[in-house]
Amino acid sequence: MPFIDLKAQYAALKTSIDARIQRVLDHGQYIMGPEVKELEEKLAAYVGVKHCVTVASGTEALLIALMSLDLKPGDEVITTPFTFAATVETIVLAGLKPVFVDIEPDSCNIDASKIKAAITPRTRAIMPVSLYGQVADMDEINALGLPVIEDAAQSFGASYKGSKSCGLSTWGATSFFPSKPLGCYGDGGALFTDDDVLAQAAREIRVHGQSARYTHTRLGVGGRMDTLQCAVVLAKLERFDWEIERRLAIGARYQALLADLPVQRLAVRDNRDCVWAQFTLMVDDRPNVQSRLTEAGIPTAIHYPKPLHRQPAYAQPVDMPNAERAAERVISLPMSADLSDAQQDTVVAALRAALS
């Protein structure tokens, strides 16, 4: 059983994907070809914002968003310690200081109620993560009055109070890594905003800070998304609404099937949904449970085994008990839009046996 079934997805979309790729091979515009603009227009319309700027990866999206805000070295950015390293990596690469705020124990998203106490005169931005596919408490975070960059690498397609993830704050940043809810066949990402000035800054930054050819008006990076990868995402958009419906249904079915087991299911707030980039739950004695699932042929993953304030590159002497407890207990089960009921039943049966 695959952890994420990209082969089944390709089989369903093969005709469209192959045709889209062939079109790029035929016109030969591999960098900033027409598919780039087409994808940006369609994604902006999907999210409901004025601007989409495609970039080379989700990591690049976060970095470019930070660079667009013209922050100064040593300025502070508040974020969560329970996320993939890219969230904090980009803050440090931009010469900024990450300030950690602990997570909610039931959702694993940043605890918005604790952010205000972490704000200092040097705080310049907040970077919440929409972990596992569920948006954080964006209204409460936006109300603090600072620029907000939503790290939506795992939540593209999710909804929050009737609006789409990536369209909820100063910047929305997502990833098209193959395993994401909307993925390409390599690295790719996108930024979303309603701010004309920030959008123009991001477009310049992604091409080495150029406002015109060989006119470098700001510090930039080589951050463009390849035309071929844009073509793949355009093909995948054809059934993306169906895939989101499937992810919501499969996630709800997992939650129901697990209701009587001694596990902690993640809380999904009433005013939002979760697109389950990973279907994650929490268990005691995780090494034993994971080992028994492996023996039963069920692939699993740990998202994430050590919070970032305990990682050597980003270590800080701060107390983050909820993040540390989650890191010891989270485990992710097979999840994709093509997961069948029979496969899901097999996973749950194996988990039931592993917990006995």
Side-chain angles (χ1 to χ4, degrees):
M1 181 185 301
F3 185 68
I4 299 170
D5 197 346
L6 294 177
K7 290 183 178 180
Q9 183 192 53
Y10 173 63
L13 292 166
K14 176 176 169 54
T15 300
S16 294
I17 291 173
D18 290 356
R20 281 282 188 177
I21 290 174
Q22 188 61 53
R23 197 171 304 155
V24 177
L25 297 176
D26 289 340
H27 67 56
Q29 299 177 55
Y30 301 114
I31 302 295
M32 300 301 289
E35 285 78 6
V36 176
K37 183 178 180 181
E38 181 184 357
L39 179 61
E40 289 177 346
E41 290 175 348
K42 289 185 175 179
L43 291 177
Y46 178 84
V47 171
V49 296
K50 290 174 64 176
H51 302 284
C52 169
V53 182
T54 55
V55 294
S57 67
T59 304
E60 211 75 23
L62 296 173
L63 180 61
I64 291 172
L66 288 165
M67 293 173 70
S68 76
L69 297 176
D70 294 325
L71 307 181
K72 302 296 185 292
D75 283 348
E76 296 174 356
V77 179
I78 293 173
T79 191
T80 166
F82 193 61
T83 178
F84 183 61
T87 308
V88 175
E89 178 180 61
T90 54
I91 295 171
V92 176
L93 282 171
L96 310 169
K97 179 184 176 182
V99 174
F100 294 117
V101 167
D102 205 2
I103 60 171
E104 298 172 331
D106 58 347
S107 74
C108 290
N109 273 332
I110 192 169
D111 189 336
S113 70
K114 296 180 178 179
I115 294 176
K116 186 175 182 179
I119 295 174
T120 76
R122 296 302 303 271
T123 306
R124 293 293 180 270
I126 305 171
M127 189 182 287
V129 177
S130 296
L131 197 68
Y132 303 136
Q134 178 181 195
V135 174
D137 293 327
M138 296 300 289
D139 280 357
E140 290 83 347
I141 295 169
N142 288 327
L144 295 169
L146 290 162
V148 175
I149 301 168
E150 181 196 1
D151 181 345
Q154 300 179 20
S155 62
F156 193 77
S159 295
Y160 170 86
K161 298 184 179 180
S163 298
K164 291 292 188 185
S165 175
C166 287
L168 305 168
S169 54
T170 314
W171 276 120
T174 199
S175 168
F176 300 130
F177 188 78
S179 63
K180 303 301 184 187
L182 182 61
C184 56
Y185 287 159
D187 277 314
L191 283 162
F192 299 84
T193 188
D194 282 320
D195 189 305
D196 297 343
V197 174
L198 290 180
Q200 183 59 33
R203 292 189 179 103
E204 293 176 7
I205 292 168
R206 73 171 171 183
V207 289
H208 302 282
Q210 296 178 95
S211 56
R213 189 160 177 79
Y214 298 129
T215 301
H216 302 270
T217 54
R218 59 174 68 241
L219 179 66
V221 297
R224 301 161 299 204
M225 185 170 172
D226 295 341
T227 308
L228 278 167
Q229 300 300 346
C230 289
V232 171
V233 177
L234 280 166
K236 289 193 176 186
L237 272 175
E238 294 177 11
R239 75 162 201 168
F240 187 58
D241 285 340
W242 175 85
E243 290 200 15
I244 292 299
E245 289 177 7
R246 286 287 298 151
R247 285 180 172 274
L248 296 176
I250 292 167
R253 189 168 189 268
Y254 257 138
Q255 295 279 59
L257 291 170
L258 298 172
D260 68 327
L261 296 182
V263 301
Q264 181 181 342
R265 297 170 294 159
L266 289 180
V268 178
R269 305 297 183 220
D270 292 339
N271 55 15
R272 69 204 76 171
D273 57 29
C274 182
V275 296
W276 301 109
Q278 293 88 27
F279 186 86
T280 302
L281 62 149
M282 287 182 263
V283 298
D284 297 323
D285 194 13
R286 183 178 66 199
N288 178 58
V289 172
Q290 188 172 33
S291 176
R292 294 187 66 178
L293 286 172
T294 300
E295 291 171 3
I298 306 299
T300 60
I302 308 300
H303 301 99
Y304 299 92
K306 184 183 290 188
L308 294 179
H309 69 290
R310 296 289 182 242
Q311 294 283 358
Y314 313 109
Q316 293 185 16
V318 292
D319 187 24
M320 300 280 138
N322 294 334
E324 290 170 16
R325 179 161 170 76
E328 294 172 351
R329 301 179 68 232
V330 291
I331 185 169
S332 300
L333 304 178
M335 179 68 190
S336 60
D338 294 288
L339 188 73
S340 69
D341 285 357
Q343 288 175 314
Q344 198 173 19
D345 290 341
T346 299
V347 172
V348 174
L351 178 62
R352 187 179 297 275
L355 292 165
S356 63

